[in-house]
């Protein structure tokens, strides 16, 4: 691409001003987009950045520049955090390819690879735990990348993102990467308030334009009118006409049909007008719209779709592609036993892969999902039927994306997908550097309203709302590290409080700066002869009494009293050790500054207390529960501090942190064997389904039943205590999978475990890794015998398909 003289001059100026950015840009296969260049320039100038841009726009280029900057400086580190392990694995492999495996580490809770490396990829929870533990791995940390930072809106895990943002050392620069959210500026303002100098860069331009269609019968109809100004997002008139005709063109209605004599056949034709899945695949292939991702909001629907396509005889791959697919899959799966492969449906799965078709959902074995992702990235797979979990972060761009429906089941009812979800899903369409445009295809269903679809497709994405709430573990960690009052100030820095009352965050930040200044003043007025703050207090008292004496016309009695008090104060001043200090007046100037700042600080504190909302109130209630149970106590100086039990709770993370800590403290699990403690962990991490409630389960023997009953008693007591303190209660532990985990820990076969639980292989592996994570926490904080049992349980359950995987 030839540049104009002005462009060449501008580029040469930038190269001189920002040589590191110029070197990085020159190493890229494509020119940086304006938003990428702006974000990288801000990083190069030492600022933090928030980048909000559509899926597939290339936000990770900014993260790669942060890595580039860290690697230019001797010993600097960069942490790359992600919300899911699959994304962590993917970034780990990418960084290994670029920088070499010796420079890259991976930490995902149950995986620890080269943790001391200069580039470490990790889940966000791991970094939160490192910050609370003041890990030495934080030394020389220069940058933290928070990928998919909009995940902080997640109801269950979102608070972790805020904890990390608040607690990161101020000198660490933050690179926050977000999908396009409607309140990016508000979120950026919060980052500016808690992290300091932060550049907010919002881009709504897709690097590959998106063409949006509705598939009506066998015809692709454009969603927006392209006859004039397409950018106005005016609905295609043809689509409106089709909607009025029930999905059929008006010409298809016969005269008899209009008179009513053809109603039966009209209804029959309308029901059969929607293409089945093999026909959709064939249509996409005929229009050169493969590879495609077809989103079906059901695991069973994804698996069924693959079977339907295979039964139709469709083959989308050439001979050399099939050979490459088989070689990759056999290499990846060589560690699995034949009996496990049969249970996992390996041979049918492999046949689908060889024909270019696969499913992708959370019920699959994680390693199988990774293989699907790898084959799709290598352009060997042509069609993937996926649930919406694929839309989160994993790098799988396609030429086209198909949405079978615009609503999904959320566990309780069918609800429409949100503009944010639509943006995430269709963001997969269009491969940068390969496609000149991407295509989204919405399949017609009865009752589809084109205007609603257009509004969904044209609106800026969802608002980012905080899900932050103080937990028991968080409260103990913060109080132990900062004390009660400082913890309240920290909670006032949360995005939740910022959204509730933006002014409180600004006040709390000012308060923190004032405390830092006061600490410096305190040091400057320190006197080797005695307490200069006390001496300065006497001087202020004398000044106050002198001002009172000079005001108005005091009575004789008042004048006498003031004179006595003045004489006493002057006597105490002369007798004070600091009165003889050679640097007395210099100390006094610093003491006066400290006092004025202290008055401002107290005023601000009063303002904050009057504005403090639900976050601090919840923290107070959590603290009261912990105090009532003996995890916190008031020491001799009147400060709230953690007890020995509290220090155990500090190391337990998860939804049931307090329940686990209570059971450990009471010794309820001390008699459990290896399989028993694994079964207990499964009962605590498993989230019961609605149809699990009220069901009687076969429980393991050897002491498990008694220990579980006692655990339920503790849960019930905690539930009552939480209700008394107006805190939301937790779900009752469920032993639904205890027997299966007990059997697995004793060496049971995968087939039997999956049959007993009715779980998909991916669900079982995910649950088991959560069990391993909890057992690992128990092994660290429990008494020696139970800790040893927990470590043995980890070895017992980490085998077979649980241990198998590319990285984690």
């Amino acid at each position: 691409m030839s540049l104009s003289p002005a462009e060449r001059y501008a580029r040469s100026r930038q190269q001189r001003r920002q040589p590191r950015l110029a070197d990085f840009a020159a190493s890229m296969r494509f020119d940086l987009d304006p938003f990428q260049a702006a974000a990288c320039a801000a990083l190069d100038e030492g600022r933090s950045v928030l980048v909000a841009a559509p899926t597939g726009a290339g936000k990770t280029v900014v993260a790669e520049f942060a890595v580039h900057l860290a690697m230019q400086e001797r010993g600097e580190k960069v942490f790359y955090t992600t919300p899911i392990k699959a994304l962590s694995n993917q970034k780990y492999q990418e960084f290994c390819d670029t920088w070499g495996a010796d420079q890259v580490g991976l930490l995902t809770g149950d995986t620890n690879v080269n943790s001391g490396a200069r580039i470490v990829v990790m889940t966000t929870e791991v970094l939160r735990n490192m910050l609370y533990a003041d890990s030495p791995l934080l030394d020389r940390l220069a940058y933290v990348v928070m990928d998919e930072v909009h995940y902080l809106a997640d109801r269950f895990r979102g608070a972790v993102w805020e904890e990390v943002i608040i607690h990161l050392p101020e000198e660490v620069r933050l690179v926050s990467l977000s999908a396009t959210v409607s309140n990016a500026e508000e979120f950026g303002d919060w980052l500016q308030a808690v992290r300091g100098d932060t550049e907010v860069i919002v881009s709504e331009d897709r690097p590959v334009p998106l063409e949006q269609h509705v598939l009506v019968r066998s015809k692709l109809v454009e969603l927006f009118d392209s006859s004039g100004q397409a950018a106005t997002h005016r609905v295609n008139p043809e689509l409106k006409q089709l909607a009025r005709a029930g999905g059929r063109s008006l010409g298809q209605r016969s005269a008899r049909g209009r008179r009513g004599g053809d109603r039966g056949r009209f209804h029959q034709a309308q029901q059969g007008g929607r293409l089945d899945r093999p026909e959709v695949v064939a249509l996409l292939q005929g229009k050169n719209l493969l590879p495609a991702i077809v989103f079906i909001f059901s695991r069973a629907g994804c698996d069924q779709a693959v079977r339907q396509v295979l039964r139709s005889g469709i083959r989308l791959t050439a001979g050399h592609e099939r050979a490459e697919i088989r070689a990759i899959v056999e290499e990846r799966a060589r560690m699995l036993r034949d009996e496990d492969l049969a249970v996992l449906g390996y041979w049918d799965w492999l046949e689908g892969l060889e024909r270019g078709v696969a499913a992708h959902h959370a019920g699959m074995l994680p390693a199988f999902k990774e293989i699907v992702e790898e084959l799709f990235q290598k352009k060997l797979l042509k069609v993937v039927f996926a649930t919406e979990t694929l839309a989160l972060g994993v790098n799988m761009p396609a030429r086209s994306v198909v949405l079978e429906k615009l609503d999904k089941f959320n566990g309780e009812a069918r609800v429409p997908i949100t503009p944010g979800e639509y943006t995430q899903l269709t963001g997969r369409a269009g491969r940068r550097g390969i496609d000149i445009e991407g295509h989204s295809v919405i399949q017609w269903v009865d009752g589809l309203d084109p205007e609603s679809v257009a509004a969904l497709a044209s609106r800026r994405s969802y608002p980012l709302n905080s899900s932050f709430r103080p937990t028991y573990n968080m409260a103990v960690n913060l109080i132990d590290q900062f004390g009660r009052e400082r913890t309240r100030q920290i909670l006032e820095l949360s995005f939740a409080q910022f959204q509730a009352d933006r002014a409180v965050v600004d006040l709390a930040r000012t308060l923190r700066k004032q405390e830092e200044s006061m600490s410096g003043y305190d040091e400057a007025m320190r006197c080797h002869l005695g307490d200069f703050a006390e001496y300065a207090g006497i001087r202020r008292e004398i000044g106050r009494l002198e001002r009172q004496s000079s005001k108005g016309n005091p009575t004789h009695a008042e004048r006498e009293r003031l004179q006595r008090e003045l004489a006493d104060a002057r006597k105490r001043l002369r007798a004070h050790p600091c009165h003889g200090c050679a640097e007395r007046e210099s100390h006094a100037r610093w003491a006066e500054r400290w006092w004025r700042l202290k008055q401002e600080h107290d005023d601000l504190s009063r303002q904050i207390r009057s504005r403090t909302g639900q976050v601090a109130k919840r923290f107070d209630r959590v603290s009261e529960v912990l105090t009532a149970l003996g995890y916190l106590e008031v020491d001799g100086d009147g400060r709230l501090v953690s007890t020995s039990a509290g220090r155990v709770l500090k190391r337990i993370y998860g939804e049931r942190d307090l329940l686990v800590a209570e059971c450990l403290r009471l010794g309820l699990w001390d008699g459990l064997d290896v399989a028993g403690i694994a079964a207990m962990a499964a009962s605590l991490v498993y989230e019961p389904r609605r149809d699990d409630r009220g069901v009687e389960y076969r429980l393991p023997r050897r002491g498990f039943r008694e220990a579980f009953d006692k655990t339920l008693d503790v849960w019930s007591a905690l539930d009552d205590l939480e209700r008394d303190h107006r805190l939301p209660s937790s779900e009752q532990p469920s032993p639904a999978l205890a027997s299966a985990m007990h059997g697995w820990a004793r060496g049971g076969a995968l087939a039997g475990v999956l049959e007993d639980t009715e779980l998909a292989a991916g669900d079982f592996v995910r649950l088991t890794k959560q069990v391993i994570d909890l057992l690992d926490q128990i092994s660290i904080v429990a008494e020696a015998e139970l800790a040893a049992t927990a470590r043995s349980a980890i070895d017992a359950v980490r085998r077979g398909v649980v241990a198998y995987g590319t990285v984690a």
Side-chain angles (χ1 to χ4, degrees):
M1 182 181 69
S2 60
L3 299 177
S4 68
E7 289 172 328
R8 286 198 300 272
Y9 176 70
R11 179 170 291 187
S12 67
R13 280 193 63 188
Q14 184 186 28
Q15 287 173 340
R16 289 195 301 272
R17 192 173 67 250
Q18 295 181 303
R20 296 184 300 181
L21 176 53
D23 290 345
F24 175 75
S27 71
M28 303 301 291
R29 291 180 291 105
F30 49 82
D31 290 339
L32 296 182
D33 289 339
F35 86 90
Q36 294 169 330
C40 290
L43 272 180
D44 199 23
E45 291 163 4
R47 300 199 296 277
S48 295
V49 294
L50 165 64
V51 181
T55 302
K59 295 185 291 289
T60 54
V61 166
V62 183
E64 289 164 10
F65 182 59
V67 175
H68 175 83
L69 289 176
M71 297 302 279
Q72 303 306 303
E73 301 297 327
R74 186 177 181 84
E76 282 195 352
K77 293 181 182 177
V78 56
F79 288 172
Y80 193 111
T81 72
T82 71
I84 55 175
K85 292 180 182 179
L87 190 52
S88 293
N89 293 342
Q90 190 174 79
K91 298 309 299 183
Y92 170 76
Q93 297 290 359
E94 289 175 9
F95 286 134
C96 283
D97 292 342
T98 304
W99 296 99
D102 61 318
Q103 297 287 350
V104 186
L106 177 68
L107 298 172
T108 60
D110 59 338
T111 301
N112 186 329
V113 178
N114 197 17
S115 61
R118 293 182 61 192
I119 307 166
V120 186
V121 182
M122 61 186 68
T123 51
T124 316
E125 281 85 353
V126 170
L127 178 53
R128 186 271 311 273
N129 300 352
M130 289 169 65
L131 288 166
Y132 280 159
D134 196 22
S135 169
L137 294 176
L138 296 167
D139 293 345
R140 299 283 291 163
L141 180 61
Y143 298 90
V144 166
V145 178
M146 303 198 79
D147 203 354
E148 308 283 343
V149 74
H150 52 274
Y151 212 87
L152 69 75
D154 182 76
R155 186 161 60 98
F156 298 105
R157 297 173 56 211
V160 176
W161 273 253
E162 292 191 46
E163 290 178 79
V164 168
I165 291 168
I166 291 169
H167 294 304
L168 271 177
E170 196 164 334
E171 68 273 11
V172 176
R173 277 149 291 177
L174 191 64
V175 182
S176 304
L177 307 179
S178 172
T180 309
V181 292
S182 54
N183 59 335
E185 291 81 4
E186 179 189 37
F187 183 54
D189 288 345
W190 174 68
L191 289 173
Q192 177 79 29
V194 297
R195 299 293 315 161
D197 197 2
T198 302
E199 186 86 6
V200 179
I201 294 160
V202 178
S203 172
E204 297 190 56
D205 296 328
R206 286 175 49 96
V208 180
L210 181 66
E211 295 291 325
Q212 307 196 65
H213 317 272
V214 178
L215 178 58
V216 186
R217 296 170 67 87
S218 59
K219 182 178 181 181
L220 282 178
V221 181
E222 291 187 19
L223 174 60
F224 296 112
D225 181 13
S226 58
S227 62
Q229 295 178 328
T232 61
H233 289 122
R234 190 165 70 93
V235 176
N236 186 350
E238 181 186 0
L239 193 58
K240 289 183 179 180
Q241 189 178 35
L242 286 167
R244 287 193 294 269
R248 298 175 57 183
S249 66
L250 292 176
Q252 287 178 288
R253 293 199 191 209
S254 66
R256 283 181 61 200
R258 285 194 295 274
R259 288 194 301 271
D262 192 23
R263 285 178 186 162
R265 273 174 297 194
F266 175 79
H267 177 73
Q268 206 170 15
Q270 188 173 332
Q271 291 297 100
R274 182 181 166 98
L275 296 183
D276 62 22
R277 286 156 177 163
E279 289 173 323
V280 172
V281 171
L283 181 142
L284 295 173
Q285 184 181 27
K287 293 185 177 295
N288 196 28
L289 294 179
L290 299 181
I293 299 171
V294 182
F295 283 107
I296 302 172
F297 303 123
S298 153
R299 298 179 185 183
C302 292
D303 294 334
Q304 183 186 55
V306 173
R307 291 193 295 270
Q308 289 170 347
V309 172
L310 295 183
R311 279 199 303 269
S312 73
I314 287 178
R315 188 182 298 277
L316 303 172
T317 52
H320 71 279
E321 291 175 316
R322 290 193 288 277
E324 188 176 353
I325 289 168
R326 179 174 283 273
I328 290 172
V329 175
E330 289 180 347
E331 168 64 23
R332 300 287 186 272
R334 72 184 191 283
M335 301 300 292
L336 284 173
R337 299 184 304 176
D338 287 345
E339 55 265 38
D340 287 347
L341 291 176
V343 173
L344 296 167
Y346 172 81
W347 306 109
D348 290 338
W349 176 66
L350 178 58
E351 182 191 356
L353 295 178
E354 289 184 336
R355 287 166 62 176
V357 182
H360 187 289
H361 58 71
M364 295 171 61
L365 191 69
F368 280 19
K369 283 198 299 180
E370 291 170 19
I371 291 171
V372 169
E373 292 160 13
E374 180 182 354
L375 295 177
F376 198 82
Q377 289 163 14
K378 291 180 181 291
K379 308 182 186 65
L380 296 171
L381 281 182
K382 313 303 179 183
V383 177
V384 170
F385 295 95
T387 56
E388 68 271 30
T389 55
L390 182 115
L392 183 67
V394 178
N395 181 27
M396 279 183 64
R399 177 164 292 170
S400 63
V401 163
V402 179
L403 277 67
E404 284 199 347
K405 294 181 179 178
L406 293 177
D407 59 22
K408 64 177 184 176
F409 186 69
N410 68 356
E412 296 179 359
R414 294 206 70 84
V415 295
I417 64 172
T418 65
E421 289 168 330
Y422 182 89
T423 303
Q424 284 281 87
L425 296 168
T426 57
R428 295 283 164 205
R431 298 164 300 174
R432 186 168 188 163
I434 301 173
D435 300 319
I436 58 171
E437 61 190 18
H439 298 266
S440 71
V441 178
I442 299 163
Q443 279 199 270
W444 178 273
V445 293
D446 290 342
L448 188 76
D449 177 14
E451 293 285 358
S452 298
V453 177
L456 192 70
S458 60
R459 278 174 57 191
R460 188 171 170 184
S461 193
Y462 55 89
L464 186 60
N465 293 316
S466 172
S467 62
F468 185 85
R469 55 186 175 81
T471 64
Y472 298 111
N473 167 276
M474 185 195 303
V476 174
N477 269 292
L478 292 179
I479 286 173
D480 209 41
Q481 197 167 354
F482 302 110
R484 183 189 178 109
E485 287 308 310
R486 180 78 176 87
T487 295
R488 287 179 64 91
Q489 294 169 20
I490 287 169
L491 296 177
E492 283 149 5
L493 290 171
S494 70
F495 189 42
Q497 184 64 43
F498 184 85
Q499 290 188 305
D501 183 356
R502 293 183 61 163
V504 168
V505 175
D506 295 331
L507 293 174
R509 182 172 175 82
T510 303
L511 203 68
R512 187 165 63 179
K513 292 293 186 186
Q514 286 179 341
E515 288 170 351
E516 292 171 1
S517 298
M518 286 167 63
S519 177
Y521 295 168
D522 186 59
E523 184 65 33
M525 72 178 182
R526 189 161 296 167
C527 178
H528 66 288
L529 296 177
D531 184 350
F532 202 89
E534 183 181 67
Y535 180 75
I538 300 171
R539 286 176 61 135
R540 282 194 301 276
E541 182 185 354
I542 292 171
R544 177 181 59 81
L545 292 169
E546 288 174 340
R547 285 192 299 275
Q548 286 182 353
S549 297
S550 63
K551 279 184 180 178
N553 297 306
T555 64
H556 178 75
E558 287 174 340
R559 190 180 298 109
E560 287 289 321
R561 178 183 60 79
L562 288 170
Q563 290 303 318
R564 283 196 305 272
E565 290 180 5
L566 263 172
D568 176 67
R570 287 168 177 155
K571 181 179 178 182
R572 284 186 286 120
L573 186 75
R574 288 191 296 271
H576 197 282
C578 294
H579 192 66
C581 179
E583 298 181 61
R584 183 182 68 197
E585 292 310 309
S586 173
H587 292 330
R589 285 192 294 274
W590 286 110
E592 189 59 31
R593 291 172 188 169
W594 183 93
W595 175 250
R596 284 199 300 269
L597 196 56
K598 175 72 165 55
Q599 288 179 305
E600 293 176 19
H601 178 274
D602 290 346
D603 287 341
L604 272 181
S605 297
R606 281 191 291 273
Q607 288 185 50
I608 287 174
R609 281 197 296 273
S610 68
R611 298 188 189 200
T612 295
Q614 292 303 311
V615 176
K617 288 177 183 175
R618 180 181 171 116
F619 165 71
D620 289 338
R621 292 167 189 165
V622 165
S623 300
E624 288 164 8
V625 168
L626 291 173
T627 304
L629 292 170
Y631 289 88
L632 296 173
E633 65 181 7
V634 179
D635 68 6
D637 296 325
R639 296 174 303 181
L640 197 62
V641 296
S642 65
T643 62
S644 58
R647 288 187 283 278
V648 169
L649 179 56
K650 280 176 62 177
R651 305 296 297 277
I652 300 170
Y653 301 93
E655 288 292 308
R656 301 196 184 277
D657 48 6
L658 185 56
L659 178 58
V660 172
E662 274 290 271
C663 291
L664 290 176
R665 184 170 69 158
L666 297 171
L668 302 188
W669 304 336
D670 288 353
L672 292 174
D673 60 8
V674 166
I677 192 63
M680 185 63 71
S683 302
L684 294 172
V685 301
Y686 176 64
E687 295 177 12
R689 299 170 299 199
R690 286 189 303 172
D691 52 2
D692 288 335
R693 298 185 180 99
V695 178
E696 286 288 328
Y697 294 102
R698 178 172 54 88
L699 300 183
R701 297 180 181 177
R702 301 187 182 183
F704 176 86
R705 181 184 293 274
E706 181 183 358
F708 184 73
D709 286 344
K710 290 179 179 178
T711 300
L712 281 185
D713 290 342
V714 172
W715 169 82
S716 180
L718 290 178
D719 191 57
D720 291 341
L721 187 61
E722 287 172 328
R723 290 177 191 275
D724 291 343
H725 287 83
R726 290 172 294 159
L727 288 169
S729 57
S730 60
E731 186 79 40
Q732 178 176 323
S734 169
L737 301 181
S739 183
M741 189 58 64
H742 191 272
W744 178 255
R746 296 181 66 194
L750 178 65
V753 169
L754 295 183
E755 185 177 348
D756 285 349
T757 63
E758 298 182 355
L759 282 181
D763 292 325
F764 174 70
V765 170
R766 187 170 59 255
L767 173 83
T768 307
K769 293 204 170 187
Q770 291 171 356
V771 166
I772 289 170
D773 188 38
L774 178 54
L775 290 172
D776 183 53
Q777 294 177 42
I778 292 171
S779 74
I780 294 170
V781 299
E783 297 295 331
E785 186 175 347
L786 180 58
T789 305
R791 285 191 292 271
S792 298
I794 292 172
D795 295 335
V797 298
R798 188 187 276 148
R799 62 181 181 86
V801 294
V802 178
Y804 168 68
T806 55
V807 182

